[in-house]
Amino acid sequence: VSWITLDLWFYKHTQWGIDFLEKYAKFVKERIEIEQNYAKQLRNLVKKYCPKRSSKDEEPRFTSCIAFFNILNELNDYAGQREVVAEEMGHRVYGELMRYSHDLKTERKMHLQEGRKAQQYLDMCWKQMDNSKKKFERECREAEKAQQSYERLDNDTNATKADVEKAKQQLNLRTHMADENKNEYAAQLQNFNGEQHKHYYIVIPQIYKQLQEMDERRTIKLSECYRGFADSERKVIPIISKCLEGMILAAKSVDEHRDSQLVIDCFKSGFEPPGDFPFEDYSQNIYRTISDGTISTPKQEGMRIDSKTTVGKSKGKLWLFGKKPKGPALEDFSHLPPEQRRKKLQQRIDELNRELQKETDQKDALIKMKDVYEKNPQMGDPSSLQPKLAETMSNMDRLRMEIHKNEQHAHTNEFDDEFEDDDPLPAIGHCKAIYPFDGHNEGTLAMKEGEILYIIEEDKGDGWTRARRQNGEEGYVPTSYIDVTLEKNSKGAVTYI
């Protein structure tokens, strides 16, 4: 029992070690995707806030604007360093882990095969020893029977001398065969004991040692990758620090007085301020005999300032950022009433189904033509049809996906109604997730790699299978992402655990 337990421990532990290594590789891959997406979003952000300038007159002259564009340039360089981190992690860590995982699986498989071969050889030696033992036991019983027969005839006064002699010869023959089988059994027993000792004290310990060394190398490789994971980012820290220092210098370069002077220089009109308004005497019509020494002052012509000239036009734009006009919205059917929207979607589904049928007919025709070419090579080369056949299959997959997406929009309420049934559909089998699936779309079911689900509805040709979790959650999953096992004569739903 202890040896069997040890075998299981080594078998499970080495598999766990490989699974853990691949789990870390998956973690690194997701981290790489985060870095790549982060860098891409940063570059898009920089591009969004760096509008194209058609002439020098539109270039920003304010220190705050110049500083902002310098910050954008530094941020663009910073995004480049995030891409460097992702590339370094992908080459130094993720790529190395995937290669090493493949080597570990191959080595583990080889050691386990050696262990199975050793166990099979030991089993064969045991069978040979057991057969020789059984044969020796059988011959001993036959010899005893011959002994009893001889003694009975020898004591029988009515037995002839010939019968006694014949019984004696049979006794000698059986005794001789029993002795030979005894020797054979002894030899096989000695051989089995030797092979068993060799198996448990030499062969199996050596295999265990190799598996242990393999697992220790895996641990060392993980340690190296952990360091590489950190070094990938530590290498770019000096450059990132320079980018941040550049941003700080850009912030320090902002000069509010210079910007204010630019505004003044840009908007000043160059006109002199208006003079004092003169006193206008409306009493002249009453006192007509008043002397010429009136206090009134004639109106000055040309002193009225045109309001249109009080504010000069700026030579350039002060603020370069403006909202881009929104383009026309993509045409959809969301503005239509439910019934009309359903009809439009159904028309689109029917159109896609007609296209799918055309591609299916073309695929069938190509397959028939390929069969004709294979049977009659003089008529054409079968391999020449393979590219067109592959293209047709790809088009069929694309059309099926589009049909499914449109059906999801058309039958959103139907999905909800189906999932809210009081009586769950019976399980007709189960499946294991080969790949993970996010399940963002409505009506789908997210799943993790290796997760076991119940099958409650088979694939109807659209590439989707309806499944249920153990907690009762239901949805559709891609058929190509799962390994399906259907149960014959299934009765009712499987009891939830």
Side-chain angles (χ1 to χ4, degrees):
V1 176
S2 60
W3 281 102
I4 295 175
T5 303
L6 192 59
D7 287 342
L8 291 174
W9 185 85
F10 268 98
Y11 179 83
K12 292 182 178 180
H13 178 73
T14 52
Q15 182 61 49
W16 172 87
I18 295 176
D19 292 341
F20 183 80
L21 185 140
E22 291 182 341
K23 181 179 180 180
Y24 178 67
K26 185 179 179 182
F27 161 78
V28 175
K29 181 181 179 182
E30 293 183 3
R31 169 65 190 277
I32 292 172
E33 292 174 353
I34 290 174
E35 291 290 348
Q36 291 173 340
N37 293 333
Y38 180 45
K40 182 179 179 181
Q41 291 175 1
L42 286 178
R43 289 194 183 277
N44 290 338
L45 182 65
V46 171
K47 185 178 180 180
K48 177 181 178 181
Y49 284 93
C50 280
K52 297 180 181 179
R53 295 184 290 272
S54 59
S55 64
K56 291 184 178 180
D57 293 337
E58 296 181 3
E59 292 182 359
R61 293 173 292 169
F62 299 108
T63 59
S64 57
C65 295
I66 296 173
F68 177 61
F69 282 103
N70 289 336
I71 289 174
L72 290 178
N73 290 332
E74 296 292 347
L75 187 61
N76 193 58
D77 295 339
Y78 176 85
Q81 296 308 309
R82 305 319 307 181
E83 292 174 342
V84 171
V85 171
E87 183 179 356
E88 183 71 11
M89 285 184 179
H91 174 72
R92 183 176 176 182
V93 183
Y94 180 72
E96 182 66 17
L97 284 172
M98 296 308 296
R99 182 195 64 79
Y100 195 72
S101 175
H102 179 269
D103 294 343
L104 277 181
K105 290 179 180 178
T106 303
E107 183 180 356
R108 177 178 180 272
K109 182 178 180 181
M110 180 188 67
H111 293 324
L112 294 178
Q113 286 177 347
E114 291 176 354
R116 282 192 291 269
K117 288 180 181 179
Q119 187 62 46
Q120 290 172 358
Y121 178 72
L122 184 64
D123 293 342
M124 182 191 69
C125 293
W126 181 86
K127 287 181 180 179
Q128 290 177 351
M129 183 271 295
D130 188 60
N131 289 336
S132 63
K133 176 183 177 181
K134 292 178 179 178
K135 191 173 180 181
F136 171 58
E137 183 181 4
R138 186 173 58 253
E139 290 299 331
C140 286
R141 287 197 300 269
E142 293 296 330
E144 290 177 358
K145 291 180 181 179
Q147 176 70 28
Q148 293 174 0
S149 178
Y150 169 73
E151 291 178 353
R152 186 177 64 255
L153 290 173
D154 188 42
N155 295 328
D156 189 358
T157 56
N158 295 325
T160 62
K161 185 177 181 180
D163 292 337
V164 175
E165 187 63 25
K166 184 178 179 180
K168 184 177 181 181
Q169 291 177 359
Q170 185 68 17
L171 174 61
N172 293 334
L173 177 62
R174 289 298 180 181
T175 303
H176 177 70
M177 292 180 67
D179 291 338
E180 288 184 351
N181 282 279
K182 179 180 180 181
N183 295 333
E184 176 66 18
Y185 168 58
Q188 291 294 340
L189 179 62
Q190 183 178 4
N191 179 67
F192 173 75
N193 289 333
E195 292 298 335
Q196 181 176 251
H197 184 276
K198 179 181 177 182
H199 177 83
Y200 286 109
Y201 288 93
I202 299 176
V203 177
I204 294 300
Q206 182 65 27
I207 294 175
Y208 286 164
K209 182 180 179 182
Q210 292 171 349
L211 288 172
Q212 181 179 353
E213 291 175 351
M214 180 194 74
D215 193 67
E216 290 176 353
R217 291 197 307 272
R218 174 194 62 83
T219 305
I220 294 174
K221 177 60 67 174
L222 276 175
S223 175
E224 294 174 354
C225 290
Y226 291 160
R227 290 195 296 270
F229 182 83
D231 288 338
S232 299
E233 187 162 5
R234 187 172 62 178
K235 287 181 179 180
V236 302
I237 287 179
I239 302 177
I240 291 177
S241 298
K242 290 183 179 179
C243 294
L244 298 177
E245 290 174 3
M247 294 180 187
I248 294 175
L249 290 176
K252 292 180 178 180
S253 67
V254 176
D255 188 343
E256 68 278 11
H257 299 297
R258 182 181 174 183
D259 288 354
S260 297
Q261 189 61 42
L262 284 174
V263 175
I264 293 171
D265 294 341
C266 185
F267 282 93
K268 65 182 179 181
S269 64
F271 293 101
E272 294 293 334
D276 296 337
F277 281 91
F279 177 78
E280 297 182 13
D281 191 0
Y282 295 99
S283 63
Q284 291 180 0
N285 294 329
I286 302 175
Y287 304 102
R288 296 179 180 273
T289 59
I290 242 174
S291 63
D292 294 337
T294 180
I295 63 173
S296 63
T297 305
K299 294 181 180 179
Q300 298 180 3
E301 298 293 335
M303 294 300 293
R304 194 176 295 275
I305 304 300
D306 189 356
S307 61
K308 295 183 179 179
T309 61
T310 57
V311 180
K313 295 183 179 180
S314 63
K315 296 182 180 180
K317 296 180 179 180
L318 290 179
W319 187 248
L320 299 179
F321 300 101
K323 294 184 179 179
K324 295 183 179 180
K326 296 183 179 179
L330 295 176
E331 184 179 359
D332 58 14
F333 307 127
S334 60
H335 62 285
L336 298 175
E339 187 61 27
Q340 297 182 19
R341 182 167 64 249
R342 188 179 300 108
K343 290 180 180 179
K344 291 288 186 181
L345 287 170
Q346 188 60 44
Q347 291 175 1
R348 177 59 179 163
I349 292 172
D350 294 340
E351 181 182 351
L352 291 171
N353 280 322
R354 287 192 293 271
E355 294 180 12
L356 178 61
Q357 186 60 42
K358 291 180 181 179
E359 294 292 337
T360 304
D361 295 340
Q362 183 174 358
K363 181 199 72 171
D364 295 337
L366 289 171
I367 292 176
K368 291 179 181 179
M369 188 178 297
K370 184 178 179 182
D371 293 337
V372 173
Y373 285 178
E374 289 176 350
K375 295 177 180 178
N376 303 282
Q378 68 276 8
M379 297 182 65
D381 183 12
S383 61
S384 63
L385 300 175
Q386 190 62 34
K388 185 62 177 177
L389 185 60
E391 180 183 356
T392 304
M393 297 294 289
S394 177
N395 291 338
M396 291 173 64
D397 293 339
R398 176 181 57 81
L399 289 170
R400 288 194 185 101
M401 182 60 68
E402 291 185 13
I403 290 171
H404 180 73
K405 288 181 179 178
N406 282 275
E407 286 178 345
Q408 279 188 324
H409 290 290
H411 303 292
T412 301
N413 294 331
E414 293 181 12
F415 276 122
D416 296 336
D417 293 339
E418 289 175 3
F419 293 156
E420 292 174 358
D421 290 341
D422 294 333
D423 298 326
L425 293 175
I428 59 175
H430 64 277
C431 67
K432 180 179 181 181
I434 306 175
Y435 309 105
F437 178 62
D438 295 332
H440 291 316
N441 294 330
E442 186 174 4
T444 59
L445 182 66
M447 60 183 180
K448 299 178 181 178
E449 182 180 354
E451 186 176 1
I452 303 298
L453 304 172
Y454 296 120
I455 301 296
I456 59 176
E457 186 176 333
E458 293 183 64
D459 187 348
K460 296 182 179 179
D462 58 355
W464 295 86
T465 299
R466 188 172 174 185
R468 179 194 296 135
R469 278 205 181 91
Q470 293 181 354
N471 61 3
E473 186 179 1
E474 297 179 2
Y476 286 86
V477 297
T479 306
S480 58
Y481 281 37
I482 58 176
D483 184 13
V484 179
T485 302
L486 296 178
E487 299 176 0
K488 297 181 179 180
N489 301 325
S490 177
K491 297 181 180 180
V494 178
T495 303
Y496 299 148
I497 298 175

